Amino acid sequence: MARRVAIVGIGQTYHRSKRPDVNIGELSAEAVRAALEDAEVSANEIGAYVTGNMELFEGRYAQDMWQADYIGAVGKPGIRVTTGGTTGGTLASVAFEYVASGVYDMVMALGFEKQSEGDTRAGLKTVADPLWSRWYTTGAIGYFASQARFYMKQAGAPEEAGSMVRLRLAKHAALNPHAHLRLDLQSVEQIMESPYLIPPLRQMDMCPTSEGACAIVVASEEKASKMARKPVWVKDWISVHKEVVYIRGERHSVADLEMAAGKLFQRNGITRPMEEICVAEIYGPCTWAELEWLEAYGFCEKGQAWRLEEKGQFYLDREFPVNPSGGVVCTNPIGATALIRVAEVALQLRGGAGNHQIARRPTVGFSSAWGGSGWTVAHLLSATKD
Amino acid sequence: MRVGIVAVAQNRFGDYPEWRPHELTYLVVEDVLKKAGLPFRDGYDDIVTCSSDHWDGKTLSDIEHGEVAGAHLGPGETKVSLDGANAVLLGYIKVLSGHADVVLVTAACKENQVMDPSVIENFGFDVPYHQLLGLDFTQAAALQATSYMHKFGLKREDFAEVAVKGLKNAKDNPYFFNGGDMTVEEVLGSQMLSYPITSVERRPFCDGACALILAKEERARELTDRPVWIRGVGSCYDHHNLGDRDLTEPAALFRAAQDACGMAGLKAPDKEIDVFEISEHYSYQLLLWMEGLGLCARGEAAKLLRAGELDRGGRMPVNPSGGLLGGVPRYVAGANRVIEAFYQLRGEAEGRAMPREPRVALAHGTYGPAGQHHCVIILERGF
Amino acid sequence: MMMENKEELLQQERMLHVRFGWSAGPYLGRFLAELRDNGRLWVVRCPGCKRILMPPRIVCATCYTRAPEFPEGWFSLSGKGTLLDWERVIYPQMDPETGEIRPEPYLHGLFILDEGVSFGHYLGPEDLDEKRLREGMKVEMVMKAPEDREGKLTDIKYFRIMEA
């Protein structure tokens, strides 16, 4: 890249199912102010704003226009980038590019969603082509129910596997004050009592709709080096898309995940990802997705993820912490969700995750975003510049 | 490091009931790749699309647009949901960042499939606040137009003159369908939309797509011996609430132009830039944006227009293409301005070329109520 | 006049009602017309990689060859296939055309048609016992009566299990 960039500020709201006490602009402003405070910079020092969310979800239009005043973008350069579920990831990538280009020295990326204000199901249904599958689509839930069935078969996983993931995420979220769902779950058996949405997918397997915002401040190497707080360096980022044919051959394809992680690791000399990467915040819209996708990213062999889960290896005090924040299954304000992954990895790398800080000292972190018709955006962050 | 535009393509904008939005994108992508001599997918490292989920009527409208642009298991894709000039800006940033050597930029919109554009625009106003006033972009523009008229003693005839000249220029543009010969009286006599804006004075809603290939300098020189460099970019947001702004002061445009000209090393845009392709969604905007770009004193643009200084052969050619009144869809608009500027700089502006060979061009895009957001791009001939 | 010292959280409601007239285009448009008029699934084979494009579309996203418009390279599928997967939809689903919630539960099926493409649709009839379903069962398309067809995918009524 043309010049190195670093994340120097992180802010997010306390994600909830509803925030009737704020309007969307105020919600975003909370995250923006938190990021500015964290970075110890004033709004004046932000050179540009990169914002995004799910365009249709709140039933509003041109959200960047009426939010400009709330977030400090008035009188400043800015752009609006919206790529569905991967939006937060794309926001981070674009912010990195803005700074790496040399045109801007400090950029704020903001993702937000206030889903109770709109009709999320209606919004999600419109992903489907209006003339093809829109009449039929059961949205994300149908997709992931099908994925769960496939993983169980392919990996020989018991139905409990999903609940094991859920237990880990609940334990992690309990330590993360920003997480939305912080349920007091104690056992796999307890989670297995959760009602089905579409079998075998249970209510607890699936991510919620949350209201929240996340913002990061990205700075050039020169600026970052002068800042009081330890910057988190950006190593690389990638975006891989897939044709909108969900079933290839006979099954869901994970080609985008494989390619994104594969290329990212190869470009950065990572050959044993589970050993060389210290922490992963992966985008898992449901518990089963975490299992299938940990394999697809190449962290472990096909069919192995649930066995490692069963052994507890993905807990934050164990060998390979996955989603120490509680993940998407505990917190999902869609426009912000993928950016939260980046933010949480950054928090871990600078030792700032408080109670949900992983046990081992991390040097390299991986974050991912998923959405669209099977798209993956992924980032590699590092605690050191090299 | 310089970034160049090496090839462009656009539909003839108009009414396309026979095609879906992404099929229009495909037609221009096929065309631009052929012109650039690049294979699909492997020929570029990234894709920036520009479309609106609202106007396409589907969440993630970039699924389809990205697919026909070759995103599948290849360059990936990023969607800009702001005026198309910003997609060009992002493409430029991506190359400059070193993260991509070649970027494909597309923009597409089928306005004719949307029966209720005013409803969508209305929901772009702050919903708990003045959305209830029933404002849409045309009414916001009308407020700006009347403020502008009153402040500088301008007349409706001044704005109508913009339409007369614009439509006349558009006749020569093979991509524009709305060209024609009209008199000031005919313009003023056309259907009133929102005082003082008549139907002829608003950019006609239509369908279309466009595409550009951007490349870093070494690669650009391999792909063409006639590159057009992007020398500077700028963008800026103004306040949202109409009452928070002095509508006669396009402050955001001024800032965006300053940034772009500063990057390009230009100190006197009115002297150092040879041609301007700007986004006048409404006739009065041509004059107001010119002043916001610093091309003349406040309130004076109308005089320059009357004196012929903005004609193709004039001192400061503005919209020799015919401008947006010639018929360009929203979202595509700003990208089309870049493309028209590209054609002028390369001497390829068929039928609508300015007589003097231009060296430096300014392209401009805007979106939001009464030009809340502006984007300015400075281009320079690289041969 | 003093305001009551109670925090009232105001909310405003709106219904966003936006109409669209989506063009089907020459590819999907032909598919839907054939479905309506002849009760058949007409698809096109990609001239480049030879895979079947369903739904028919202007360009193949993988090999990027432009597909010819009807009738060159187009052919009709048998409407028969095997059952790959199914789900009993319990979670309330909205009908995107009416905004109404569909009565549930109902069965969705995912099929691999004999020609190799995947397709999803209802499994019927209504009294179909889910417990009978097995992966690999043979299925076939059942169309609505010609007078009830509109040029939409719902012109297909459902897929039914073909008895041995």
Side-chain angles (χ1 to χ4, degrees), chain B residues 17-20 26 29-30 40-41 54 56-57 67-68 72 110 113 115-116 123 127-128 131-132, chain C residues 12 14 16-28 57-59 61-64 66 69:
Chain B
E18 68 271 30
W19 292 113
R20 312 187 70 188
Y26 172 68
V29 167
E30 192 186 33
F40 94 101
R41 194 162 71 206
H54 289 77
D56 277 23
E67 206 172 282
V68 303
H72 173 75
K110 274 194 72 182
Q113 71 176 19
M115 329 273 220
D116 303 302
F123 274 84
V127 166
Q131 179 252 352
L132 276 173
Chain C
Q12 296 181 12
R14 305 274 196 285
L16 181 54
H17 188 216
V18 185
R19 296 167 302 151
F20 285 86
W22 288 298
S23 298
Y27 296 89
L28 189 55
R57 55 192 75 175
I58 192 170
V59 69
T62 47
C63 78
Y64 215 59
R66 184 168 174 172
E69 287 184 41

Side-chain angles (χ1 to χ4, degrees), chain A residues 359-383:
Chain A
R360 293 216 189 114
R361 189 158 151 202
T363 49
V364 178
F366 173 86
S367 64
S368 69
W370 189 86
S373 55
W375 304 342
T376 295
V377 175
H379 309 87
L380 270 181
L381 306 181
S382 166

